[in-house]
Amino acid sequence: LVSAQDHKAVGEGDTGPNTGGMGAYTPAPVVDADMQEVIMRDIINPTVAGMKAEGVPFQGVLFAGLMIQDGRPRLLEYNVRFGDPECQTL
């Protein structure tokens, strides 16, 4: 699936109070082909390999909640359901 991003701040340029994710869009402009490769290599693939190595291979949907700052993705959470606002756009 493609990337998705929710809106957080109410104002233009990410200013103003946090809206708690009222609305989303896809694809997320910050996730180009190079960033997607980094995310898969550094976050997703090691997670899935680690689960398999521990005897619990993952089957299903693994939705990664990421923050990308200074060109570096950081994992905040995993979801195994399509319950977040971002998923509505997928």
Side-chain angles (χ1 to χ4, degrees):
L1 297 172
V2 297
S3 61
Q5 183 172 343
D6 66 341
H7 294 284
K8 288 294 184 188
V10 71
E12 293 294 324
D14 290 328
T15 61
N18 189 325
T19 64
M22 294 174 57
Y25 52 92
T26 188
V30 70
V31 182
D32 59 15
D34 291 336
M35 180 59 66
Q36 183 173 343
E37 183 178 325
V38 170
I39 291 166
M40 293 302 294
R41 182 193 66 222
D42 295 349
I43 298 173
I44 306 296
N45 291 340
T47 298
V48 173
M51 293 176 77
K52 184 177 181 179
E54 291 186 15
V56 284
F58 185 78
Q59 296 179 333
V61 174
L62 190 61
F63 184 81
L66 305 171
M67 292 292 291
I68 299 174
Q69 184 176 21
D70 300 326
R72 185 171 169 211
R74 293 179 173 88
L75 179 67
L76 296 179
E77 64 180 355
Y78 277 124
N79 286 298
V80 293
R81 60 183 177 81
F82 284 136
D84 290 348
E86 303 92 308
C87 294
Q88 295 176 23
T89 63
L90 302 174

